[in-house]
Amino acid sequence: MSSSLIKAVNVRFDENSMTIALSDGRALGVPLAWFPRLLHASQAQRMQYRISTRGLHWEALDEDISLAGLLAGYGDMTRRPAQAA
């Protein structure tokens, strides 16, 4: 299956990580430290996500995460690597 056909279907959080359920049956876990806005958000704020064709979006947190970037192993791309968490 091409990565362009893989979609996020659900997102869950624990204290330190975010797990994205994918349409092909896999689950992708990433540390919240990769995304400081989510790391410092409340659980209620984290749950206010929207799944789009390209990834995940949190309106109130001004956070967009591309599924392609996650699959490639990228974290927060809004900062230069030396500044990322």
Side-chain angles (χ1 to χ4, degrees):
M1 179 179 276
S2 164
S3 65
S4 64
L5 300 176
I6 299 169
K7 307 291 183 217
V9 295
N10 189 35
V11 181
R12 68 178 195 271
F13 296 90
D14 65 27
E15 186 176 324
N16 300 306
S17 63
M18 171 173 62
T19 303
I20 301 102
L22 303 176
S23 59
D24 66 358
R26 291 181 292 166
L28 178 62
V30 295
L32 286 176
W34 282 12
F35 303 99
R37 291 180 193 138
L38 292 176
L39 178 66
H40 299 295
S42 69
Q43 184 69 1
Q45 289 173 312
R46 292 176 188 157
M47 295 310 296
Q48 296 297 315
Y49 65 88
R50 180 174 49 88
I51 297 173
S52 72
T53 57
R54 302 183 89 197
L56 307 167
H57 174 70
W58 288 262
E59 182 73 32
L61 299 174
D62 191 28
E63 182 72 83
D64 291 288
I65 300 175
S66 92
L67 191 52
L70 286 175
L71 289 168
Y74 297 127
D76 185 351
M77 299 300 290
T78 61
R79 296 173 178 82
R80 291 189 312 207
Q83 296 174 321

